[in-house]
Amino acid sequence: MSEPQAFDVVVIGAGPGGVNAAITAAGLGRSVAIIEKDAGVGGAAINTGTVPSKTLRETAVALSGLRTRNLYGVDLSLRRECTVADLLKHENAVRTTVRGQWNGLLGAYGVTVLPGAGRFLDGHTLAITNAAGETTVRANSIVIAIGSSPARPPQFHFEHMRIHDSDEIVNLETVPKSLAVIGAGVIGCEYACMFAALGVPTHIIDGRDCLLPFLDLEVSQALLRAMTGLGVTFHWKEQVNVCTAPEAGDIKLTLGSSKELMVDTVLVAAGRESRTAALDPDKAGLLLGKRGLIPVDECFRTNVKHIYAVGDVIGFPALASVSMEQGRIAGAQAGGDAEVCGMPAIFPTGIYTIPEIGAVGETEGSLQGKKIDYVVGKVNYEDCARGEIIGERMGFLKLLFSKPDLKLLGAHAIGEQATELVHLGLLTMQFGGGAKGLWETCFNYPTLGDLFKHAAHVAILKMRDEAA
């Protein structure tokens, strides 16, 4: 084996956290390499998860004519059976474009991309294995950003062409005649909405009895109504005990209640798993936590002071946006900027169901649990001009303010562009703002942003009435 190539910083994994770590360290003048085992950079965010799934969602909404049905009262969809080519054309184009953008970014910062799977030989040395063989690299600092993989429960036969995990579903070969989604988490709900919008009979099977319980309850209930309206059938407090999958014909799912469900296609969205074992972490002296996750401090440093970890591999919240910020901090630390440390206290959640959900901060349930007095300012989309213009009939914005100072504690939106809209709440909370500032802000008219002004006014009037 040849002498190892040496870098100041080596990043393992070219997903959102890894790329941000690499360019941050390179921006500080460090020599940086990034190891990626897949054919292209981007990780699950670009290749199998975030960007492809959201692009498929937009395509499904467009092909189904959902937006125009409420606007004009008629179906302006393409009025023909949707094909895989219809679904994948835009998704493939977007994936290729964004991957190219990330490659260009790495190139602009002078980051060396090393194809292959990396593993530790010792605390500073990594072996990289690919089709050409094995090479080694050494680094002063290392950032682990290897992401995660979909969990594959043993009762499902994933070699079957119509049983998919959440990474495979973006490359489906036919539009399902019917679909069972195993797991009512974010990924399961997003895909269930997408296929239901295309007219595919869709079932969700989940062992719980509440949809996305981390959401504000009112938002969760609104999403449940919307998904049911799309045609999604929920099977609560159920699990799949047996999956019988013949080569031809429907797949039979036998549930815990002994109920049998016959479907054409199965999507298993039962969570994701850590892949840290493949790194040979013990050779670097790394300590692992539960489920193979890597414990880190507020600067994303592991128990080995020159090794950092970010993204799914450290656990909650496992969001692409948060992984990017974690990568920025770890990259700065690895690159020698010790002053950059610590994440923002709050971060937003975006869920690309139909309709979208955006959320940040406290929910009514969390405030009640903490015994914090609050007041709600809620406005429906249809109560503002922009909501009427776009034909959004069921969306709403809900703001939670503390008493008596009306400081914003939480913002929750469901409806068109909710994932964008919630950022106004994020910024207001980030800078300690509240109802008075929102009410006195001039928003463009007509816009959905104006909902913040009116929701704040609702809360102000409630406080005034209580004081009277």
Side-chain angles (χ1 to χ4, degrees), residues 271-289:
R272 298 181 71 86
E273 297 176 335
S274 173
R275 304 184 302 208
T276 48
L279 293 175
D280 286 344
D282 55 315
K283 292 184 179 178
L286 284 171
L287 298 178
L288 302 183

Side-chain angles (χ1 to χ4, degrees), residues 57-327:
R57 176 199 182 273
E58 287 302 305
T59 305
V61 170
L63 291 174
S64 67
L66 273 176
R67 289 193 178 107
T68 55
R69 286 176 199 173
N70 283 341
L71 188 59
Y72 302 113
V74 295
D75 182 358
L76 295 181
S77 63
L78 296 184
R79 297 183 180 279
R80 60 177 172 82
E81 184 177 352
C82 174
T83 68
V84 171
D86 294 327
L87 281 176
L88 296 188
K89 181 178 180 181
H90 185 46
E91 183 262 326
N92 287 331
V94 170
R95 184 174 7 182
T96 300
T97 298
V98 178
R99 190 187 296 132
Q101 292 169 347
W102 283 31
N103 272 319
L105 189 62
L106 291 168
Y109 277 87
V111 175
T112 301
V113 178
L114 302 173
R119 72 181 194 281
F120 286 101
L121 296 178
D122 59 46
H124 287 278
T125 311
L126 293 159
I128 304 171
T129 306
N130 55 35
E134 185 169 287
T135 58
T136 58
V137 293
R138 285 188 61 81
N140 295 327
S141 297
I142 296 169
V143 180
I144 301 170
I146 60 172
S148 60
S149 299
R152 288 188 156 201
Q155 66 268 41
F156 298 98
H157 310 291
F158 288 94
E159 67 277 5
H160 193 282
M161 65 180 298
R162 288 180 285 115
I163 297 178
H164 306 284
D165 64 30
S166 56
D167 279 359
E168 296 174 335
I169 195 73
V170 295
N171 296 312
L172 77 175
E173 296 182 1
T174 59
V175 176
K177 296 180 177 65
S178 58
L179 175 69
V181 179
I182 316 303
V186 171
I187 294 173
C189 287
E190 289 180 347
Y191 278 111
C193 286
M194 181 193 314
F195 286 105
L198 293 170
V200 176
T202 302
H203 301 261
I204 288 183
I205 302 164
D206 195 275
R208 296 166 293 188
D209 61 358
C210 179
L211 186 63
L212 303 180
F214 61 88
L215 292 175
D216 186 89
L217 181 59
E218 190 172 6
V219 175
S220 173
Q221 292 173 338
L223 178 61
L224 179 61
R225 290 193 297 271
M227 291 179 67
T228 302
L230 275 176
V232 178
T233 300
F234 289 89
H235 303 267
W236 295 115
K237 295 185 176 180
E238 289 278 21
Q239 62 181 11
V240 177
N241 285 349
V242 180
C243 173
T244 305
E247 286 189 20
D250 283 345
I251 298 167
K252 181 171 73 174
L253 302 177
T254 304
L255 308 185
S257 63
S258 298
K259 178 179 178 180
E260 294 181 349
L261 185 63
M262 306 296 292
V263 292
D264 172 68
T265 301
V266 175
L267 166 61
V268 180
R272 298 181 71 86
E273 297 176 335
S274 173
R275 304 184 302 208
T276 48
L279 293 175
D280 286 344
D282 55 315
K283 292 184 179 178
L286 284 171
L287 298 178
L288 302 183
K290 294 180 179 178
R291 303 187 309 279
L293 298 176
I294 302 178
V296 294
D297 64 14
E298 69 278 7
C299 298
F300 304 99
R301 185 184 293 110
T302 69
N303 66 293
V304 181
K305 65 179 183 179
H306 65 277
I307 301 178
Y308 303 80
V310 300
D312 289 14
V313 78
I314 67 171
F316 180 84
L319 298 171
S321 56
V322 176
S323 297
M324 289 178 178
E325 285 301 295
Q326 294 171 345

Side-chain angles (χ1 to χ4, degrees), residues 381-390 445-447:
Y381 273 49
E382 62 184 357
D383 293 332
C384 82
R386 183 65 176 176
E388 279 295 313
I389 290 169
I390 65 176
Y445 181 86
T447 62

Side-chain angles (χ1 to χ4, degrees), residues 16-37:
V19 168
N20 258 28
I23 64 174
T24 300
L28 293 171
R30 302 296 182 258
S31 60
V32 180
I34 191 165
I35 302 170
E36 177 52 56
K37 68 179 183 62

